Every structure is written in C-alpha cells, then in structure tokens.
Amino acid sequence: MRRRGVAAGGAVLVLLLAGCSDDSGAPSPTASAVTPTVTVPTAPPAAAAAALGPTGPGTATPCRGTAIPVGADPQEVIDGQPAGTTFCFAKGVHRISRPIRPRARDTLGGGAGVVLTGSVQLDGWKRDGDRWVVRGVLPAPYELKGQCEDNKTKSCQRGEQVFVDGKHLTRVMSLGQLKPGTFFGDYSANAVYVADDPDGSVVEMSRTPTAIEKSAKNVTVTGLTIEHFASRPQGGALQVGPGWKVVANEVRWNHAVGIMVIEGDRAELSRNTVADNGQLGIGQYKSAAVRITGNLVTRNNTDGFWIADWESGGIKSTRSSGEVSGNDIVANRGIGMWSDIAEYDRRITGNRIRANAADGIRYEISYQAVIDQNVVEGNGFGTGRGSGGSLWDGGGINVNTSAGVQVRGNLVKSNRNGISIQSRTRGDGPRGTYVLADVVIEGNLVVMDNATASTGVVENKRSPSKPGAVTFRRNSYQLTDNRFAYQGKTMTWPEWQQAGFDEDSVTT
C-alpha cells in the first residue's frame, strides 16, 4: 500500500536566492538559513525541456585586433604590444611549442577554423616486422601521477597521445599488446610504435603540456580550438586565472583536463564545447565565485583514468565556490558534476546531466550548497574498479558527509541509484569537521525504474547520522518497486515513511 501524503497543487515552486561569498571565509546563509517555499512536484523542472543551443568557436564574436599569423611565435607577437591588447589568431593550425603567457586584460581571440595544437608531426617511420617505429621523439622523463582504471600498468599517467589523420589512438603498455588503433611509447628506448602503416597519413603526437597559462588577471580567451596538448594529470590544456572570461571555445582531445581554473576568483566559462579530453572536461581549484554556465561537457576521460573515484568525467571542483548552471554534462566516463573537499557557497542549478558513468552529481566533504532544478538522468552505469550498485557507490545525486545542503526541485530519473546520502568518517576541514548535517531533500521528482537500485541513507559504524541530520520531504516518486534503505535495512515505502522520511511526499 502506497501512502500518497499531501496533494500536489502544481509544479515545484521555489524561492531561489543566488549564492555569494566574501573574503571573510565565513559560510554564507544561502544554503542553510534561507527556507524556500517548495511544494510536491507534478512536472519536471524547466531544464527538462530546455535546449543548450550552439557552443564553440562558431558562436564567438568576430575578432578585431593585432594579428597572429600561422607559423609565428604567439608570445613574440604578444610581448611586442602593450598589456590590454586584443590578439587575433589567423585561421589555420598554430603549433604551440611553449605555453602562451598573456598579460592583464589581454584578449586572445579567433573564430571558426582557428586551431591551437600542442602536437608535433611524426615523420621518418621505419618498418619493424609487422609494425612501424619512429625514434627520438619522446620527451625527457617527468613526474608521473594519477589514479588509473588499470592500476597495475597505470597507462593514464603518461601525457603523450598519438593521432592518425585526427583519430585518437589508444595507448598500450607493451609491444605484445600492439594492434590496429593503438600505439606503444617505449620511453627507455625513446621510440613510438604503431600497428597501422602510417604511409600517406598525418601522424601527430601531443607534446606541449599547456596551451595558455594563467599568467595575469582579467584575460579573455574566445573563439579558439585548443587540442592535442600533453597536459599532465590534474593539469589543464587551458589554465584560467582571476577574472578571466573563457567564451565560445572548443577544448578537445587533450590528455588530462581541458580547462583548469586555478586560484581564478570570479572567472567565467560560457558557451564552450569541452569534449574528449583524457581525464576531465573542466576543473576548478581554490577559486571563489566562479561561474560555469551554458557549456557542453561531453565524452571526457578518454585515456583510462579511474572512473569511480579519481577526478575523471565532466566537471570537478575543489576548495571553491560559485555557480554551475545551464550546462549539458553528458556521457562522460566518470562523475558528471563533482564538488569535493571544502566546497562552499556552491550552486548547481538547471543543468542537464545525463549518461555519465558514475554519479550524476556528487557533493562530498563540503559545506553550504543548493542543488536545484537539474535533470539528472541515466547516470551511474559504468563498470570497472570500484563501480557497483549499492548506495555506497553513489547515485543520480550523492551527498557525502556534507553539511548545509539543499537538494530541491530536480528530476532524478533512471539512474543506477536515485538519491544516495552517505555518512562517513572524513576528518576536519576549514569550516569544521566534515559531518552529515542539515541536508534537506525536497520537491524532487524521482523516477526509479527497474534499472534503479534504491534511494536512501547509508552510514559507517563510526559515523552514524544524527537524528534530523537528513530530511526528505514533499518529493514525488515514480516507482516500479519499493526500494529504500536506511540503517543497513532495505525498506518498503511504508517502512521508509515510518522511519521518518518523506511523510508528506507522494508515490505513483
């Protein structure tokens, strides 16, 4: 028997207040002190019917300024002009052999057909049995780091990628594994091997780690395609600093992070296509009041980083604040949107987060967040090391040992789990001990079909959730079965309500 609770009087009604932050380090009242008005939903949020629209260089404003011709050293052109100049890259392929360092208020612009590449062409191939080899092209040794899906060979730690006529080859870790569509880099012998005859093809290898460095404040980057950079794990092909505007670019096929905001307070990223990067689409670190809006973030983690639990997938932010809104975060091999470690004043709103291999949204060991009006659908079905179907493995939305979090007005549909709330022992952070507290799940439409395991709260023995730490209220569930969990028990809908959750919610 399903209890229907209060009658639904209309679509979700929410009083939305934008988050803010100041230099004092004190939490804002955005997520915990404001009580919105929310009713049981009868329809999905507006994001379900919204379309992202065009992104990438084709949407950039035409560039007018000092020209950077194909073949020129961009840094020499930039250094020859005063700070605050607009530079326009000419249409064509610009091979970047050292990171570009803009000055304060510079604009680096382009348009459709302007490509900055970190690759070099590989010539001089010689046949070696049933394979081909070129020698003397690999870089000097460098520090290796990163967690890979394959934690034995650790193939993701190397930055170089190989492309044949623009097609990305998969790295293998021994000559015996070489087959069509793959390459092997023998760093001890400084040799690169491929299985396909390279004659008549353009073969390129990413070599330069970074396209543009965060060398100054208030820089604009627009209309550029940035590809084939050998960015190191956790490093970005495009670094973003304070006050930067990164608008209408395509950042693709770089080894680690496509766009990395590093101590970049008040930066803005909008209308970018961030696709097919080896580790992560967008990263944010120690950056306050950043706005990531209206971007397409898709198919990232092409180079085998750990899907379940190491900075792979769509967007990851750490020790930061700001807004992530109106983005399409789709089909990434990892978590769609991940806030982790001392996040605060975070707003995740109006995004369409679909078909990512791990959680759709994960908010972990952090403080003060509003997660609202998102479409979170079909996430969490990845396989591999650490992936699974329990609530410990996450869900469409996962709140992990965080405080002051409001999850409201979202469509959470057909994920591996619905909403997963976790209480773990995680130590202390800059705003106090990481603990599950003041988490409110309300006004969400949760669709749990035959592919969905459950929704609920899980806790380890050393960190039981305190009474009242988590509130489920005024939600609407569409169920094909009764699958809820609390205190180690699987529960039916009536049992879930008897445990004190969703007493005024409805099911169909």
Side-chain angles (χ1 to χ4, degrees):
M1 177 178 178
R2 291 176 176 170
R3 178 179 173 184
R4 291 203 167 265
V6 299
V12 180
L13 303 175
V14 185
L15 177 62
L16 303 180
L17 283 83
C20 60
S21 60
D22 56 32
D23 294 332
S24 68
S28 125
T30 300
S32 62
V34 176
T35 302
T37 301
V38 179
T39 62
V40 177
T42 59
L52 177 62
T55 58
T59 69
T61 301
C63 188
R64 295 180 176 85
T66 300
I68 299 181
V70 172
D73 182 338
Q75 196 63 54
E76 292 183 0
V77 178
I78 291 168
D79 291 344
Q81 300 294 325
T85 297
T86 294
F87 298 95
C88 302
F89 286 86
K91 185 176 182 179
V93 176
H94 298 255
R95 294 197 181 273
I96 307 302
S97 60
R98 57 172 173 157
I100 299 168
R101 296 178 59 81
R103 292 84 40 82
R105 305 180 311 284
D106 279 352
T107 293
L108 303 181
V114 176
V115 178
L116 274 56
T117 180
S119 67
V120 294
Q121 289 189 327
L122 299 184
D123 300 309
W125 292 93
K126 295 183 178 179
R127 187 152 191 164
D128 181 26
D130 58 354
R131 57 198 176 228
W132 285 261
V133 62
V134 62
R135 301 183 185 277
V137 296
L138 291 169
Y142 52 84
E143 180 184 0
L144 300 179
K145 65 176 182 177
Q147 292 286 327
C148 308
E149 187 67 37
D150 179 353
N151 63 344
K152 295 181 179 179
T153 66
K154 300 181 179 180
S155 59
C156 72
Q157 294 183 340
R158 301 283 186 178
E160 292 68 49
Q161 299 167 300
V162 175
F163 302 85
V164 176
D165 295 330
K167 181 180 178 181
H168 173 264
L169 302 187
T170 299
R171 177 188 294 275
V172 296
M173 297 303 287
S174 71
L175 270 178
Q177 295 175 306
L178 196 68
K179 61 182 180 180
T182 68
F183 78 99
F184 170 61
D186 186 339
Y187 288 80
S188 61
N190 198 347
V192 174
Y193 294 85
V194 296
D196 302 288
D197 186 352
D199 185 45
S201 296
V202 176
V203 184
E204 300 170 284
M205 182 186 75
S206 58
R207 179 152 179 158
T208 306
T210 306
I212 301 171
E213 289 186 343
K214 63 171 198 71
S215 52
K217 296 181 179 180
N218 302 320
V219 171
T220 297
V221 179
T222 183
L224 302 178
T225 295
I226 298 172
E227 66 177 18
H228 300 181
F229 284 83
S231 46
R232 307 294 190 250
Q234 298 179 308
L238 170 56
Q239 296 180 3
V240 176
W244 283 42
K245 290 181 172 58
V246 178
V247 182
N249 303 281
E250 182 166 7
V251 184
R252 65 189 187 190
W253 291 115
N254 303 289
H255 172 64
V257 185
I259 303 174
M260 188 71 196
V261 184
I262 307 172
E263 297 177 334
D265 294 356
R266 300 173 303 284
E268 298 182 10
L269 282 59
S270 63
R271 298 204 325 273
N272 301 288
T273 300
V274 189
D276 301 301
N277 294 287
Q279 177 196 342
L280 190 67
I282 297 173
Q284 182 181 342
Y285 176 69
K286 284 190 176 179
S287 303
V290 171
R291 298 183 71 245
I292 301 174
T293 63
N295 302 281
L296 174 60
V297 183
T298 186
R299 301 187 305 273
N300 295 288
N301 189 15
T302 59
D303 281 357
F305 288 84
W306 187 14
I307 292 171
D309 209 29
W310 198 81
E311 300 188 24
S312 65
I315 301 173
K316 184 172 184 186
S317 181
T318 299
R319 303 183 186 277
S320 298
S321 66
E323 176 183 328
V324 177
S325 64
N327 303 282
D328 278 8
I329 306 172
V330 182
N332 298 285
R333 297 185 71 242
I335 296 168
M337 171 62 211
W338 187 359
S339 281
D340 184 27
I341 309 176
E343 292 274 282
Y344 59 96
D345 249 4
R346 173 60 70 189
R347 182 73 177 275
I348 303 169
T349 183
N351 302 283
R352 293 159 295 275
I353 303 176
R354 300 186 173 105
N356 299 286
D359 298 329
I361 298 172
R362 182 184 293 181
Y363 201 75
E364 183 171 2
I365 55 172
S366 294
Y367 319 88
Q368 308 303 118
V370 173
I371 301 170
D372 70 333
Q373 307 296 311
N374 301 283
V375 173
V376 184
E377 182 175 358
N379 301 285
F381 292 96
T383 59
R385 184 162 62 96
S387 298
S390 81
L391 285 174
W392 287 115
D393 299 309
I397 298 177
N398 174 1
V399 178
N400 182 342
T401 321
S402 297
V405 182
Q406 295 183 20
V407 179
R408 65 191 193 217
N410 303 282
L411 172 61
V412 183
K413 181 180 180 181
S414 302
N415 300 282
R416 186 66 181 90
N417 286 292
I419 298 175
S420 171
I421 309 299
Q422 302 178 2
S423 180
R424 301 175 184 253
T425 304
R426 301 297 299 271
D428 296 329
R431 289 167 171 78
T433 300
Y434 294 123
V435 63
L436 186 69
D438 191 23
V439 175
V440 178
I441 314 296
E442 65 180 342
N444 301 284
L445 176 56
V446 183
V447 180
M448 296 166 60
D449 57 19
N450 288 329
T452 305
S454 60
T455 281
V457 181
V458 289
E459 51 199 22
N460 65 23
K461 292 181 180 179
R462 292 180 294 168
S463 297
S465 59
K466 294 182 179 180
V470 182
T471 301
F472 282 77
R473 66 191 181 203
R474 294 190 285 276
N475 298 295
S476 178
Y477 295 90
Q478 295 179 13
L479 306 174
T480 56
D481 197 358
N482 292 306
R483 289 182 296 254
F484 295 88
Y486 180 52
Q487 293 185 335
K489 299 177 182 179
T490 300
M491 294 181 170
T492 64
W493 172 248
E495 290 170 334
W496 174 249
Q497 289 189 310
Q498 289 165 11
F501 299 111
D502 278 316
E503 294 178 300
D504 53 0
S505 298
V506 302
T507 64
T508 58

